[in-house]
Amino acid sequence: IYTGTTDSTNGGPITVWARSGALNSSATVGRIQLQDSVILNSRGGAITLAGSSSVDGNGRPNGYALSNTASRGGVGLGLSAVATGTTAQVLSAGGDISIRGKSTIDGAWGVGAYPGHRIDAGAGRVYIDGWATGTLDGVALDSTATVKSTITSSAGADATTPAIWIVGDCDSLTNTTTEQRGIWTGTTNTISATGGGDILMTATNSAVHATNPGALYIQGGDIIASTGYVKLDGGTAGVVTSVSGSTTNLGAVSAGTATGAVTIVGDKINSGGTTTIKTTGAVVEEPSSASFATTYNASTLNVTAGAASLRIGKSGNTSGVTLSAGTVSGAAQQRHRPPRAPGHPRTVGPDRRV
């Protein structure tokens, strides 16, 4: 869809359907690209960007649009960083938004969104599914300090379907850059569930990164929900919650409030910058396996607003947990503390909880 185009309906669905005659498992190519300043606006209808002959109960595609072109995703939003919220816009005002993309070549994303993208479902729900078999990310949601990106839903709570659900997978074994992640985000993304719904981000990847290992790689930004939960799951590969020089807010921003649980799951959980969790709900950071792969270090973790509880690790964990410069306020407390000299970080031994 070419630069500057606006496609809209008055409550009807918008469907962009790639490779409609191909099986979802086939290598038949057909990608979707929204160029700069494109607007899709359904005014209440569902918006679907997907591919293959596979369909859902509404007759809309639920397979992947597929790219084998370098620097182009199976689904791409934008071609450059235009301006905050204007690079490419997908607006449904209450309809569900579904985006599914896959890439089968090095240097391409499953779903790739340039800085400045805006996805707003109103009271609808957002689902993004990206899969890369090459050397870029399953889902890449970029942003910069000056060109910010947003994904928003005001959908209410639902026991089975989050308001915002992002799934990413990268099969590449290459680990030469910060990418090759299931999900990769820029430094200023805002992912926001304002109506009581949940946020779930689930990532897997095959590469083992020596620096900042994790299938879910969040450089910075805000991942916030008013009363729903926020869950970041990087599985055995782990989660990077921030990078050096950046801050990630989970649950709520400093001036906001949140009551839902915040959960981070990963055998390796790293925060190279600052990660601040603000909620009055439960906070959990735990391995996907029985134990963390290495000693967990919470030196840049801040838990504020009187979280109902804080747990790091889980029953059966045999790896250590180190608390040093981070801050915890509210109901959280540390138990079974070993003696330590003043000024030294505190390490919690196997199967001890905070």
Side-chain angles (χ1 to χ4, degrees):
I1 299 178
Y2 289 104
T3 297
T5 301
T6 298
D7 293 314
S8 62
T9 64
N10 192 21
I14 295 175
T15 303
V16 183
W17 196 332
R19 61 190 200 112
S20 61
L23 295 175
N24 192 41
S25 58
S26 78
T28 301
V29 174
R31 63 185 178 88
I32 296 170
Q33 181 68 56
L34 276 58
Q35 295 186 351
D36 291 341
S37 303
V38 167
I39 302 173
L40 300 183
N41 188 351
S42 67
R43 299 185 177 90
I47 299 179
T48 305
L49 309 178
S52 85
S53 59
S54 179
V55 298
D56 62 17
N58 295 307
R60 302 186 188 108
N62 63 0
Y64 294 112
L66 191 146
S67 171
N68 69 349
T69 301
S71 300
R72 295 291 178 259
V75 176
L77 304 183
L79 294 173
S80 62
V82 178
T84 297
T86 66
T87 296
Q89 300 182 63
V90 182
L91 316 173
S92 68
D96 291 343
I97 295 174
S98 178
I99 300 173
R100 291 177 166 92
K102 179 181 179 181
S103 63
T104 57
I105 189 173
D106 284 351
W109 308 275
V111 174
Y114 275 80
H117 64 270
R118 177 187 174 201
I119 300 171
D120 189 341
R125 300 179 189 277
V126 176
Y127 179 75
I128 301 173
D129 179 356
W131 179 11
T133 64
T135 56
L136 286 182
D137 315 292
V139 175
L141 304 171
D142 205 359
S143 61
T144 68
T146 57
V147 183
K148 300 180 181 182
S149 304
T150 60
I151 299 175
T152 306
S153 169
S154 61
D158 184 280
T160 59
T161 307
I164 300 173
W165 190 356
I166 304 174
V167 180
D169 177 37
C170 179
D171 292 344
S172 173
L173 293 174
T174 302
N175 62 357
T176 54
T177 73
T178 61
E179 299 202 45
Q180 299 92 46
R181 313 283 181 161
I183 299 172
W184 179 98
T185 77
T187 55
T188 59
N189 290 69
T190 295
I191 300 172
S192 176
T194 62
D198 307 315
I199 297 175
L200 175 60
M201 300 175 70
T202 303
T204 57
N205 72 286
S206 300
V208 179
H209 292 81
T211 302
N212 287 335
L216 178 47
Y217 186 87
I218 298 166
Q219 294 193 71
D222 304 323
I223 303 175
I224 54 179
S226 57
T227 59
Y229 68 69
V230 172
K231 184 174 182 180
L232 311 179
D233 190 343
T236 56
V239 180
V240 176
T241 58
S242 67
V243 298
S244 179
S246 296
T247 296
T248 298
N249 295 302
L250 302 176
V253 297
S254 60
T257 60
T259 61
V262 174
T263 303
I264 302 172
V265 180
D267 284 4
K268 302 171 184 177
I269 300 176
N270 298 289
S271 176
T274 299
T275 300
T276 298
I277 300 174
K278 183 179 181 182
T279 183
T280 57
V283 175
V284 174
E285 299 199 18
E286 66 180 9
S288 177
S289 303
S291 296
F292 290 120
T294 59
T295 296
Y296 173 96
N297 188 330
S299 62
T300 60
L301 171 66
N302 300 304
V303 179
T304 65
S309 61
L310 169 62
R311 173 166 59 84
I312 299 174
K314 63 183 179 182
S315 179
N317 177 48
T318 57
S319 294
V321 175
T322 298
L323 304 180
S324 51
T327 62
V328 176
S329 64
Q333 58 178 319
Q334 179 179 338
R335 295 180 292 173
H336 307 294
R337 293 179 293 189
R340 65 186 180 99
H344 285 239
R346 175 176 292 142
T347 299
V348 182
D351 198 25
R352 293 184 179 170
R353 299 185 181 184
V354 173

